[in-house]
Amino acid sequence: MNEQWLLIGLLAIVVFGIRVIGLEWLGKRTFPPLLKRFFYYVPIGIMTALLVKQVLVSHDSTSLALSLPVLTTCLGTGLSYFWTKRFLLSVVIGVVLGLAVRVGGL
């Protein structure tokens, strides 16, 4: 069991070390406006891809189904962030809404 925790710790150090080095290197560079605009939309594209994969569930290789609990939770979280502009509050609202939808059986 201790070997697993040691491996997890070493992997965490390596992964975060690589990220810190990359951020330090990128932080000292200036980018052209087109590349800045590209990097501005990267997080939006990644989050969209992750959410669509969760909302549209594949039961077999030929059909997609809409996951109403996930869709409801995503919409509730997005709307709460739109109105409050507070990320942590929106996440808490999304978790509570997700639990309510799951327990409610939607």
Side-chain angles (χ1 to χ4, degrees), residues 45-58 64-67 70 74:
I46 291 172
M47 287 304 296
T48 302
L50 291 173
L51 289 174
V52 166
K53 186 175 179 184
Q54 294 297 314
V55 171
L56 295 175
V57 181
S58 173
L64 291 174
L66 194 63
S67 174
V70 176
C74 289

Side-chain angles (χ1 to χ4, degrees), residues 6-7 15 24 48-49 60 75 87 89 93 104:
L6 179 64
L7 180 63
V15 168
E24 283 294 321
T48 302
D60 54 24
L75 289 175
F87 182 75
L89 177 62
I93 289 171

Side-chain angles (χ1 to χ4, degrees), residues 1-31:
M1 185 69 170
N2 287 333
E3 296 90 15
Q4 291 173 344
W5 285 108
L6 179 64
L7 180 63
I8 290 171
L10 289 174
L11 287 173
I13 290 170
V14 169
V15 168
F16 286 114
I18 291 170
R19 290 181 182 186
V20 167
I21 290 169
L23 287 174
E24 283 294 321
W25 181 73
L26 286 174
K28 295 176 182 172
R29 297 202 174 266
T30 57
F31 295 106

